[in-house]
Amino acid sequence: MDCSSPIGIFDSGIGGLTVVKAVQNALPNEDIIYFGDTARVPYGIKSEHTIRSYALQITEFLMDRDVKMILIACNTVSASARDGIQKATGDIPVLDVITAGSKAAMQFPHHKHIGVIGTLATIGSKAYEEAIRQYNGEVEITAEACPMLVPLAEEGWTDNEIAEQIVKKYLQKFEGSDIDSLILGCTHYPLFTNTIRKVLHDPDIEIVDSALSIASMAKKKLGDLQLLNDEQSGNFNCYVSDRPQRFRELAERFLGQDIPNVHIAQLQQ
Ligand code: DGL
């Protein structure tokens, strides 16, 4: 492993591409290997044991490709398996979206009430509450699981009438509440930002996405470790566990760029 090694980024599906986009902007020289577990998405309705075992298989896959850092671009995995992944990677640094998302929410120290939305596993784990409380013990936190949103995003339905109705139903919890910010505690959810904005009806509510925050944490960490790539490279390779062509089409739509290198990689079931 050295400066020219790639950064490994993974998620259960396309959601982690929101993190890829931010990393490509912050670190254009870096090569990226992305893994999307399209054969087994969604993770958020599965048990902690299952999520952990999937995450460790992907970690091994990325380590076999000599990555210099791993970004867990999945809140569900961050909530269930972060420590196990760091243990498995040894010296290779691991950053996760829950730490990044909580830090991002702390940019607004005057906020008194924070909303969090995520998968059943993430919300059930209370990982956001724990992470936020490390910075601020006073703030009120209201959390809601939105299990239908990941399958909708994988279907590409993020901006239509059905998406809007489902988002409305989930966000009812925050109606009439005085939340100052809403953390998108699932990397699929930034794909619904327009719909969420429309449903919230309140431009003053700050929508917090962990992608920019994890990208700047990655830049800082690689700099500290003197592992930044000085050469212009920026290769992007995607691996998925099922249906690469379908992933490619959706991913190209969301990233707004060609993604020629989508490969299939089957992990043990
Ligand atoms: N993008 C994943 C997350 O951030 C979605 C998990 C799932 O597959 O349900 O939690």
Side-chain angles (χ1 to χ4, degrees):
M1 191 248 291
D2 58 29
C3 297
S4 65
S5 300
I7 299 175
I9 303 181
F10 75 95
D11 179 39
S12 57
I14 56 164
L17 293 177
T18 53
V19 170
V20 168
K21 203 171 183 172
V23 172
Q24 283 178 328
N25 283 334
L27 295 162
N29 286 351
E30 301 295 336
D31 289 343
I32 295 173
I33 295 188
Y34 182 78
F35 192 96
D37 200 358
T38 47
R40 304 188 288 200
V41 66
Y43 279 11
I45 50 168
K46 298 191 168 75
S47 70
E48 199 174 297
H49 172 82
T50 301
I51 296 164
R52 206 175 296 146
S53 108
Y54 292 173
L56 287 173
Q57 286 172 15
I58 299 171
T59 301
E60 209 177 299
F61 175 89
L62 293 173
M63 284 171 68
D64 286 347
R65 274 143 197 90
D66 196 32
V67 292
K68 61 183 173 187
M69 167 180 268
I70 290 184
L71 305 185
I72 308 175
C74 176
N75 290 264
T76 305
V77 169
S78 306
S80 311
R82 198 216 173 279
D83 293 347
I85 294 172
Q86 181 65 81
K87 208 162 150 197
T89 63
D91 288 342
I92 299 172
V94 175
L95 303 181
D96 74 278
V97 276
I98 291 190
T99 308
S102 310
K103 269 196 187 159
M106 293 303 116
Q107 288 171 83
F108 313 104
H110 56 287
H111 285 183
K112 298 208 162 27
H113 189 178
I114 299 178
V116 183
I117 51 175
T119 65
L120 280 169
T122 300
I123 299 304
S125 74
K126 300 210 178 297
Y128 267 101
E129 279 89 332
E130 263 171 47
I132 292 169
R133 296 259 174 262
Q134 286 182 15
Y135 302 106
N136 183 338
E138 303 289 299
V139 72
E140 186 183 347
I141 302 167
T142 303
E144 178 72 351
C146 310
M148 296 278 288
L149 297 191
V150 169
L152 274 181
E154 292 288 326
E155 201 55 47
W157 287 18
T158 54
D159 257 325
N160 63 16
E161 227 172 83
I162 294 174
E164 192 176 323
Q165 276 182 21
I166 294 175
V167 167
K168 201 179 235 164
K169 177 94 186 138
Y170 286 136
L171 295 189
Q172 247 170 21
K173 170 111 177 197
F174 304 103
E175 240 171 55
S177 84
D178 53 353
I179 53 165
D180 303 296
S181 42
L182 180 69
I183 300 181
L184 306 183
C186 172
T187 51
H188 283 71
Y189 296 178
L191 303 171
F192 294 93
T193 301
N194 290 339
T195 307
I196 291 173
R197 275 249 159 270
K198 204 160 154 192
V199 167
L200 279 176
H201 280 311
D202 184 349
D204 290 339
I205 298 177
E206 206 69 56
I207 294 190
V208 180
D209 167 2
S210 54
L212 289 180
S213 170
I214 198 167
S216 70
M217 283 165 69
K219 188 171 181 177
K220 162 117 190 23
K221 188 81 184 172
L222 290 176
D224 291 349
L225 296 171
Q226 300 190 325
L227 277 175
L228 284 166
N229 196 352
D230 307 323
E231 311 284 321
Q232 230 178 350
S233 191
N235 294 316
F236 177 37
N237 276 283
C238 264
Y239 292 84
V240 293
S241 47
D242 205 1
R243 301 190 65 191
Q245 185 51 32
R246 183 169 184 276
F247 180 89
R248 184 177 165 184
E249 284 160 16
L250 263 183
E252 287 186 337
R253 221 164 81 205
F254 287 130
L255 279 186
Q257 67 185 56
D258 285 346
I259 309 181
N261 303 319
V262 182
H263 320 277
I264 181 105
Q266 257 133 11
L267 301 176
Q268 108 208 22
Q269 294 295 315

